[in-house]
Amino acid sequence: MRVRFRHLLLGVSVTVTMACTGTAPAESAQVPLDHYVIPGDRAFPTGLAYDPASGHFYVGSAADGALYRGHIDRPEVELWSPDGTDGRELTSGMTLDPAGRLFVNGADSNSIRIYDPAGAELLAELRGLDGGFVNEVTIADDGSAYVTDSFLPVIYRITETEGRWQLEPWLDVADTPIDWVHGRHNLNGILAVGRHLLSVQSNTGQLWRIDRFTGAVIEVDAPPLPSGDALISADGRQVFVTQGNLYAAGDQEPRVAVLAMNEDLTSAQVVDTLIPPGGLRHPSQAALTERGRILVVNSQYNRFVAEQAPELPFTISSIPVAD
């Protein structure tokens, strides 16, 4: 089922009469924004990390190393760290760990940088294997991070001990059932759920379950998710998958597919589809907020790789999520 959302005005003003003191208006509930605008005509935004403690979110760029920061209550996103800072040339997947540290992947620059957002301080710079495309990142319960490489058959693991960071090739994907296609975007979005990882393969639409303790990999029994990108979840059972049209059929409208996973993550069903008014423009990363909404980056990455002019302005959509 495909659901198109229309945003309703939720806030109302209330006037309360106080004895002997006249009247005082109560604050109206904030009307949620339905999108945010990213400056520039070559931003091609990608990657998104949301901090519920501050309300800030961070966005990268597929075109260069710029990082942007916005706030869920403000419509305009601002440049936070310019292209070239700390040697950044490109960005891809991003996340924040429980300690508030910002992970910024660097696509085919093979770099992974970790920041303290409070002062934009670079805490660590790590490098993947030559010829790769470090893409998405997730944080597991034990604090370790797992990173997909879309061009090389490897999943990395990042650990930190007393301020010392280490990146290691953790899983040799060539030794798994995953059918790797060189020259294509393979494993992309990745999500830690308990002892398992879920990862979507963009070029085939397959969803995979990976055991963090044994490295065992099985295909999840799920409908195909071509051009699947981000995997987002609050509970590991309802999983949101962004889908563009880089590897999809020409008539597939970009969307966020909502999956219902079974208990052991071996099967899933698409139970809903989120498409905001006006549609999505090749959605990439996404993030859930505590306000019952999902933020979705309109990357226009399909236009970027085809060297086509973007549709301006660049935006992030904010879509209500059903309870």
Side-chain angles (χ1 to χ4, degrees):
M1 175 178 68
R2 186 176 75 184
V3 178
R4 288 183 176 272
F5 288 97
R6 295 294 186 266
H7 300 279
L8 302 178
L9 189 63
L10 301 179
V12 294
S13 296
V14 180
T15 302
V16 180
T17 303
M18 305 295 290
C20 304
T21 60
T23 62
E27 282 190 23
S28 17
Q30 174 116 14
V31 178
L33 297 169
D34 62 8
H35 73 281
Y36 304 87
V37 175
I38 298 169
D41 59 4
R42 293 289 300 171
F44 288 101
T46 185
L48 178 68
Y50 172 65
D51 179 10
S54 67
H56 284 116
F57 55 84
Y58 300 85
V59 186
S61 168
D64 58 32
L67 295 175
Y68 302 85
R69 187 175 75 169
H71 191 278
I72 54 173
D73 290 332
R74 296 192 285 271
E76 301 293 334
V77 177
E78 299 177 345
L79 180 65
W80 181 66
S81 181
D83 172 37
T85 303
D86 301 317
R88 286 193 319 271
E89 302 171 352
L90 300 167
T91 70
S92 50
M94 299 166 63
T95 195
L96 287 156
D97 72 4
R101 296 171 295 198
L102 177 66
F103 289 65
V104 180
N105 288 352
D108 55 7
S109 71
N110 298 318
S111 64
I112 301 166
R113 293 177 175 84
I114 302 162
Y115 288 91
D116 177 358
E121 177 189 0
L122 179 65
L123 303 176
E125 180 177 346
L126 308 169
R127 290 280 171 177
L129 299 173
D130 290 343
F133 189 108
V134 290
N135 206 337
E136 295 294 345
V137 55
T138 187
I139 309 296
D141 293 341
D142 63 0
S144 54
Y146 293 84
V147 178
T148 55
D149 190 314
S150 293
F151 285 176
L152 295 178
V154 62
I155 293 178
Y156 299 103
R157 179 169 61 186
I158 300 173
T159 54
E160 180 264 335
T161 304
E162 297 180 348
R164 290 176 298 178
W165 296 85
Q166 181 179 358
L167 171 74
E168 61 175 338
W170 171 75
L171 182 67
D172 184 351
V173 177
D175 291 336
T176 75
I178 298 172
D179 185 14
W180 200 265
V181 182
H182 289 281
R184 294 292 192 102
H185 284 79
N186 289 270
L187 294 186
N188 195 335
I190 188 168
L191 174 69
V193 183
R195 69 175 289 154
H196 294 111
L197 302 169
L198 294 174
S199 188
V200 65
Q201 190 171 356
S202 292
N203 58 322
T204 66
Q206 293 167 284
L207 185 64
W208 301 95
R209 192 197 75 172
I210 305 164
D211 192 310
R212 292 196 298 114
F213 300 158
T214 68
V217 178
I218 65 169
E219 184 177 357
V220 177
D221 182 11
L225 299 162
S227 289
D229 199 317
L231 295 180
I232 303 297
S233 181
D235 58 9
R237 295 297 174 263
Q238 185 185 53
V239 176
F240 299 83
V241 185
T242 59
Q243 288 181 262
N245 41 23
L246 194 62
Y247 295 111
D251 59 351
Q252 176 178 293
E253 186 172 9
R255 66 175 187 168
V256 179
V258 184
L259 303 183
M261 307 293 303
N262 71 344
E263 189 67 24
D264 62 1
L265 307 179
T266 57
S267 68
Q269 294 181 330
V270 177
V271 295
D272 206 348
T273 294
L274 308 181
I275 302 174
L280 295 166
R281 298 174 181 173
H282 197 83
S284 57
Q285 188 56 274
L288 292 166
T289 77
E290 72 284 2
R291 299 185 182 182
R293 304 181 77 84
I294 185 169
L295 308 181
V296 182
V297 176
N298 290 298
S299 73
Q300 301 191 54
Y301 187 72
N302 56 330
R303 288 179 169 270
F304 175 71
V305 297
E307 299 183 349
Q308 296 177 346
E311 298 178 28
L312 298 176
F314 290 107
T315 62
I316 298 170
S317 295
S318 175
I319 309 171
V321 175
D323 296 332

